């Protein structure tokens, strides 16, 4: 008996996502429909493909063997779509983008909209953890995320490498320097992001490695709030360079950490089985042009788990 392509697609999505609910969101079908397709596949061929029905689902031996085959099947299907030439001129639809970087998200949307004005764009902003969760749950089509975890489920396109800068109130004495030595922060009130922020994580690592303890620290949620606090003279802060928009009230200077480097790497991510779609090919073309605008356009390798 020939296996149903629809049933195989249901099995493959469940195996990739580790559960029916996430797979249903990924395929944009109802959970009962997906469960019925899986049951029909198992019943038709008299085989159990998962051990039980509680998430996270574990593949049986037969399930693992089938998953190896469906990975090849759907990779080949994507290659066929590409070979037959899916339209490269988008005429509608919506790009759902998630990002942890306002600067790069705005730049991507600007370039994408210029090329594909008939395609709508929805942007959700969050931290890197939020963005990766949205992508895993298929709530967005693509993500701009900094230092994402390596995962073979996703396709990665390097975009930028970002360094640390110090944000100072206008006319602050340290603004006379071309770069701020990390040791100079010992005499400052330091304004920190929320604990889940990668900016804060990098800042604390740089301070810890240098053995620097600020005079005092104040915690704020969000870049905008911290910029207002700096303008009021409450203290200084550390941002990544892409988080330093022009502001007449603030001076920015690179953070000098000596021999140690603290660089944030940004990537475009999408689900592997969507990387050759017309929509994602259009987004990737924009990313290629954005990368050429960066100071360091060389691709950055990412180690997958």
């Amino acid at each position: 008996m020939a296996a149903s392509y629809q049933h195989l697609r249901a099995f493959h999505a469940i195996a990739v996502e580790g559960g029916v609910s996430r797979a249903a969101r990924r395929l944009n079908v109802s959970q009962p429909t997906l469960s019925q397709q899986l049951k029909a596949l198992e019943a038709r061929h008299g085989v159990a493909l998962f051990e039980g029905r509680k998430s996270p689902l574990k593949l049986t031996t037969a399930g693992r063997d089938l998953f190896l085959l469906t990975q090849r099947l759907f990779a080949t299907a994507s290659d066929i779509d590409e070979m037959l030439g899916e339209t490269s001129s988008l005429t509608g639809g919506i790009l759902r983008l998630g990002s942890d970087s306002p600067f790069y998200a705005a730049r991507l949307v600007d370039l994408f909209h210029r090329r594909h004005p008939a395609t709508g764009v929805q942007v959700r902003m969050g931290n890197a953890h939020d963005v990766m969760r949205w992508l895993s749950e298929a709530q967005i089509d693509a993500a701009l995320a900094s230092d994402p975890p390596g995962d073979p489920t996703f396709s990665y396109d390097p975009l930028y490498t970002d360094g640390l800068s110090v944000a100072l109130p206008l006319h602050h004495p340290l603004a006379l320097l071309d770069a701020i030595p990390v040791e100079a922060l010992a005499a400052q009130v330091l304004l920190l992001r929320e604990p889940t922020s990668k900016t804060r994580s990098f800042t604390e690592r740089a301070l810890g490695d240098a053995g620097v303890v600020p005079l005092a620290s104040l915690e704020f949620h969000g870049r905008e709030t911290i910029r207002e606090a700096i303008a009021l003279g409450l203290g200084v802060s550390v941002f990544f360079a892409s988080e330093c928009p022009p502001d007449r009230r603030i001076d920015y200077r690179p953070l000098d950490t000596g021999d140690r480097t603290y660089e944030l790497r940004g990537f475009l991510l999408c689900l592997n089985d969507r990387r050759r779609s017309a929509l994602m090919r259009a987004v990737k073309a924009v990313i290629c042009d954005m990368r050429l605008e960066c100071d360091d356009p060389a691709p950055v390798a990412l180690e997958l788990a």
Side-chain angles (χ1 to χ4, degrees), residues 9-87:
R9 187 182 72 145
F11 161 78
H12 183 74
I14 295 170
V16 168
E17 297 295 341
V20 175
S21 60
R22 290 172 59 177
R25 286 193 293 269
R26 176 176 181 169
L27 297 179
N28 197 28
V29 299
S30 69
Q31 293 185 40
T33 296
L34 211 59
S35 295
Q36 290 170 7
Q37 291 173 351
L38 175 61
K39 289 179 182 178
L41 178 65
E42 292 179 321
R44 183 173 187 179
H45 299 280
V47 62
L49 299 172
F50 294 96
E51 298 176 358
R53 286 293 186 264
K54 292 184 178 180
S55 295
L57 297 179
K58 294 184 178 180
L59 292 165
T60 63
T61 300
R64 288 193 294 271
D65 291 342
L66 179 60
F67 187 46
L68 291 174
L69 294 174
T70 58
Q71 286 178 306
R72 291 161 51 191
L73 170 66
F74 291 106
T76 301
S78 295
D79 290 341
I80 290 172
D81 285 340
E82 185 175 24
M83 185 273 292
L84 293 177
E86 247 186 338
T87 177

Side-chain angles (χ1 to χ4, degrees), residues 37-289:
Q37 291 173 351
L38 175 61
K39 289 179 182 178
L41 178 65
E42 292 179 321
R44 183 173 187 179
H45 299 280
V47 62
L49 299 172
F50 294 96
E51 298 176 358
R53 286 293 186 264
K54 292 184 178 180
S55 295
L57 297 179
K58 294 184 178 180
L59 292 165
T60 63
T61 300
R64 288 193 294 271
D65 291 342
L66 179 60
F67 187 46
L68 291 174
L69 294 174
T70 58
Q71 286 178 306
R72 291 161 51 191
L73 170 66
F74 291 106
T76 301
S78 295
D79 290 341
I80 290 172
D81 285 340
E82 185 175 24
M83 185 273 292
L84 293 177
E86 247 186 338
T87 177
S88 59
S89 176
L90 302 181
T91 57
I94 295 177
L95 167 64
R96 301 171 302 161
L97 177 69
S99 178
D100 63 356
S101 170
F103 174 82
Y104 288 103
R107 183 63 177 145
L108 188 154
V109 172
D110 176 47
L111 293 177
F112 182 87
H113 181 66
R114 290 171 185 266
R115 298 181 189 185
H116 309 284
T119 301
V121 181
Q122 295 176 349
V123 180
R124 294 180 66 179
M125 299 303 303
N127 60 37
H129 176 77
D130 291 334
V131 170
M132 293 302 296
R133 177 172 56 82
W134 298 336
L135 185 61
S136 297
E137 295 175 355
Q139 296 183 39
I140 56 177
D141 302 305
L144 290 177
S146 55
D147 280 345
D151 187 331
T153 304
F154 303 121
S155 165
Y156 295 79
D157 285 81
L159 176 56
Y160 65 87
T161 300
D162 211 349
L164 295 172
S165 293
V166 180
L168 308 157
L170 195 64
H171 305 310
H172 191 284
L174 290 178
L176 297 174
L177 303 176
D178 293 330
I180 310 301
V182 66
E183 293 79 9
L185 298 181
Q188 304 300 318
V189 175
L190 187 63
L191 311 182
L192 294 171
R193 289 279 303 277
E194 64 275 11
T196 56
S197 162
K198 286 200 171 181
T199 305
R200 175 167 176 170
S201 174
F202 273 69
T203 300
E204 292 179 336
R205 182 148 56 93
L207 293 173
D209 290 345
V212 173
V213 178
L215 182 65
S217 62
L218 301 174
E219 182 180 309
F220 293 85
H221 186 92
R223 305 177 185 93
E224 294 76 13
T225 307
I226 289 185
R227 280 197 285 268
E228 292 303 315
I230 295 169
L232 290 172
L234 291 181
V236 306
S237 190
V238 177
F239 291 146
F240 282 102
S242 62
E243 302 173 333
C244 300
D247 190 318
R248 292 179 300 174
R249 307 166 301 168
I250 298 174
D251 280 323
Y252 298 106
R253 296 292 184 272
L255 179 65
D256 183 357
T257 54
D259 295 335
R260 296 185 177 93
T261 57
Y262 302 90
E263 293 180 332
L264 189 72
R265 301 176 301 165
F267 294 82
L268 170 77
L269 297 91
C270 68
L271 291 169
N272 251 327
D273 59 4
R274 290 281 296 150
R275 70 186 187 279
R276 292 190 178 92
S277 69
L279 180 63
M280 288 314 305
R281 292 210 310 273
V283 175
K284 285 172 179 282
V286 172
I287 290 295
C288 284
D289 288 345

